[in-house]
Amino acid sequence: MDYITNPITLQPETLLSTDTTFMGLGFRTAWVRFSSIGDPGDTIRIEGFLAMPNTGTITKPGIVVTHGNGEQGNLLTAMGTAYALQSVALSISGPGCGGSEGQPSDFENWIRIEPSVAYSWIYQYAVAAMRGVTYLSTLPEVDSTFLAMTGPSAGGVATLLSAAVDNRLKYAIPIMASGDFTKAYLADGWLSYYLGDTLNPDSGQFARFINYLDPLSYVSTHSTPTFLIVGAQDEFFTLDAVKSYLESLSPAMVRTLIVANWDHATYYGPDPRYNSRYDAFDNSAVAGRKMLQATTAGYLAIRTVGMLPPTPQVTASELFGEINFTAMVTPIGVDSVFLCLSLDSGWTYQCHQMTQTIPTTYTYSLETDQPLSSMVYFAELHSSGLIMSSYPYMSQEMELRIRPAVEDTTFIDYEVQEKETRVKVYPNPASGKLYIASKSEISQGEIYNITGKKVREFQGMQKLQFNLPAGIYFIRFRTVQGDWFTRKLLLLKGTTK
């Protein structure tokens, strides 16, 4: 931690600085870089985008904003966070992402832990995020007594690791992330899919990966108040892993929002190619509103009173074909309580408003022949602007239903799989040039990052010219005959010619 917290070694530079207006509020913005560590002995430069509300001489809390695997920091994220939380926000690009130096963020580099965990990309990402905290602490505009971190997916993992080891943090908001990688891996979710070819769960490498990089391994040192936000149907960080991780942390340290009918921003996201599949639908507006409300209200509560309401508790009892659910809450400021219930092993959820019986108790009754052991449920509390959840409840024998990985199902047209050999992308991995070889003429194509976001379209090209951050991509082609093909691409660095 001595290097991480040492401002002398930051060697900060401001590449560009300007004043601008966002949502009617004036901001000073900057594009910056500072030093962090890559592989042992190597120094890398980390890119950051800074947004500071123009408040004269009044200092503001500082928050580092991380991003998901294969993504990068950007100024819009920084300004949006600074505006919503009335703080100085630094949106960083992780190692090898955007304008940051370092190894690419592919999953093989997550588990690159030999001969030391310091070679792992996720380790270096967490270090870079904490170096961002150090950078913020040097700014006169920042109140260094209140520093925070947030971010989704891989950035959420970096946030959890940082919250467990960096006592400068006063609040952490990991999104679409959790600890207990072992349970998530063994659930046959997306973590095992993307790591499965390179990681054996019975190996010593897997044990070291868990020991050093699973946030569950650090619960004894986790002393940062944390608000964990995750979708109930997240395919990477499955709900049983979320439950295990939450129950392992000190109850005083963690609150959660579990968003029903939300996953890893894929099948329940806004892209119509995904949200019509596997009984999913576009729930991005509702999920986005809930996550924003939980983030802003929780952040304000921690800043002003230093605490959040206690976590709601839920119990259930079966009697003569009826299941009675009871939620116990702190009565101050409660607007409503909902029971979020899955009758199909976590595949879909219905949320039912519960009835208040006394100030601290809400109930809901369900007539059913289905046993309680086959259900997944949690309570959702709406209280004075804050939305939060109970821990999820499910039997130990529950096998959650998990939607298949995007690469396997969303892009592939099974009627033309036998023709897949007609299109070839090379070299792969790519580091400078990328070519398409096809027996049929290519009429159009699309490029998606690992989260399913479309990042590029092209027409009839045999040599691709684009500039994207390093990472895993999926290239989707259409021939003039109307057949679609998909190829997975590992981009080692941005292709520019």
Side-chain angles (χ1 to χ4, degrees):
M1 290 296 294
D2 289 343
Y3 171 82
I4 290 174
T5 60
N6 186 353
I8 297 175
T9 56
L10 282 171
Q11 299 178 301
E13 60 177 329
T14 299
L15 305 174
L16 180 67
S17 179
T18 186
D19 291 319
T20 189
T21 300
F22 179 77
M23 300 293 287
L25 184 66
F27 283 89
R28 168 64 57 86
T29 64
W31 177 29
V32 303
R33 287 189 183 133
F34 55 86
S35 292
S36 187
I37 58 172
D39 288 352
D42 293 340
T43 298
I44 59 175
R45 300 292 285 171
I46 295 297
E47 170 187 69
F49 298 88
L50 187 69
M52 300 182 289
N54 286 332
T55 55
T57 60
I58 301 175
T59 60
K60 293 285 189 180
I63 183 166
V64 171
V65 187
T66 58
H67 59 78
N69 199 71
E71 299 291 332
Q72 64 188 72
N74 62 80
L75 184 57
L76 184 61
T77 295
M79 289 194 296
T81 305
Y83 177 84
L85 302 182
Q86 286 299 290
S87 299
V88 177
L90 176 68
S91 172
I92 68 166
S93 295
C97 300
S100 291
E101 299 173 343
Q103 62 180 319
S105 61
D106 61 83
F107 285 103
E108 290 185 358
N109 286 335
W110 279 50
I111 58 174
R112 185 173 169 247
I113 57 176
E114 303 295 348
S116 164
V117 68
Y119 285 89
S120 167
W121 178 82
I122 196 68
Y123 174 94
Q124 295 170 12
Y125 191 14
V127 171
M130 289 185 280
R131 291 289 280 171
V133 173
T134 301
Y135 176 83
L136 285 177
S137 70
T138 68
L139 301 179
E141 296 86 355
V142 172
D143 176 7
S144 59
T145 66
F146 194 96
L147 299 169
M149 189 181 296
T150 187
S153 193
V157 174
T159 297
L160 285 172
L161 292 171
S162 300
V165 300
D166 193 338
N167 58 19
R168 298 173 300 170
L169 292 174
K170 296 299 183 287
Y171 196 46
I173 315 167
I175 302 170
M176 296 190 297
S178 177
D180 203 341
F181 290 175
T182 301
K183 195 173 289 292
Y185 188 95
L186 296 178
D188 290 331
W190 291 9
L191 195 65
S192 61
Y193 178 82
Y194 288 106
L195 295 180
D197 292 338
T198 54
L199 192 64
N200 182 343
D202 297 322
S203 67
Q205 182 189 18
F206 185 85
R208 289 188 291 276
F209 174 67
I210 297 301
N211 186 54
Y212 288 111
L213 296 174
D214 186 345
L216 183 65
S217 299
Y218 295 90
V219 294
S220 63
T221 59
H222 192 118
S223 59
T224 302
T226 298
F227 201 116
L228 187 148
I229 301 174
V230 68
Q233 292 108 311
D234 195 290
E235 299 93 348
F236 270 107
F237 305 99
T238 52
L239 197 60
D240 54 348
V242 173
K243 177 178 184 290
S244 170
Y245 180 62
L246 289 171
E247 292 175 346
S248 298
L249 287 166
S250 166
M253 284 296 108
V254 64
R255 301 292 185 271
T256 188
L257 171 64
I258 300 169
V259 183
N261 298 317
W262 185 248
D263 63 340
H264 210 73
T266 302
Y267 292 109
Y268 285 95
D271 195 321
R273 290 171 305 118
Y274 311 145
N275 58 41
S276 61
R277 294 172 178 261
Y278 307 111
D279 304 310
F281 56 92
D282 181 5
N283 199 31
S284 56
V286 173
R289 174 182 57 80
K290 287 184 177 182
M291 290 188 286
L292 178 62
Q293 193 170 339
T295 299
T296 54
Y299 191 81
L300 179 63
I302 287 291
R303 281 180 54 190
T304 55
V305 299
M307 61 184 299
L308 296 169
T311 297
Q313 305 294 317
V314 180
T315 60
S317 59
E318 297 176 276
L319 184 65
F320 304 123
E322 184 175 80
I323 301 178
N324 296 301
F325 299 91
T326 302
M328 285 74 71
V329 302
T330 299
I332 300 175
V334 174
D335 299 318
S336 56
V337 179
F338 291 84
L339 177 74
C340 297
L341 176 65
S342 173
L343 303 178
D344 51 12
S345 303
W347 189 250
T348 60
Y349 284 83
Q350 296 291 326
C351 293
H352 310 275
Q353 185 163 1
M354 304 183 79
T355 301
Q356 185 179 28
T357 54
I358 59 176
T360 59
T361 304
Y362 290 73
T363 62
Y364 179 80
S365 297
L366 175 70
E367 292 186 6
T368 179
D369 294 329
Q370 189 169 332
L372 182 62
S373 60
S374 67
M375 302 178 186
V376 185
Y377 59 96
F378 54 90
E380 182 180 276
L381 169 68
H382 296 239
S383 175
S384 300
L386 177 66
I387 302 178
M388 60 188 298
S389 304
S390 69
Y391 294 175
Y393 295 81
M394 67 190 78
S395 70
Q396 292 185 351
E397 296 75 26
M398 171 69 68
E399 293 186 7
L400 293 169
R401 294 176 64 191
I402 301 169
R403 287 168 176 80
V406 169
E407 180 187 358
D408 264 356
T409 58
T410 305
F411 295 131
I412 295 177
D413 182 346
Y414 289 99
E415 294 180 358
V416 299
Q417 284 192 73
E418 70 278 4
K419 305 174 185 177
E420 286 282 306
T421 56
R422 285 173 23 185
V423 178
K424 182 178 180 180
V425 174
Y426 65 96
N428 191 5
S431 59
K433 297 179 180 179
L434 186 65
Y435 297 92
I436 304 169
S438 174
K439 295 181 180 179
S440 299
E441 182 181 351
I442 300 295
S443 63
Q444 68 182 90
E446 303 164 340
I447 302 174
Y448 297 83
N449 63 22
I450 198 169
T451 66
K453 178 182 178 181
K454 185 190 295 185
V455 295
R456 173 73 193 277
E457 294 180 342
F458 57 90
Q459 301 291 329
M461 301 175 67
Q462 300 300 307
K463 176 182 175 182
L464 291 182
Q465 300 177 12
F466 57 92
N467 189 6
L468 294 169
I472 296 175
Y473 293 87
F474 303 101
I475 306 179
R476 194 169 186 242
F477 310 93
R478 183 173 181 173
T479 68
V480 293
Q481 290 83 12
D483 294 334
W484 282 97
F485 302 94
T486 299
R487 291 293 179 267
K488 180 179 178 180
L489 170 69
L490 174 58
L491 188 62
L492 299 180
K493 61 181 181 180
T495 301
T496 58
K497 63 179 180 178

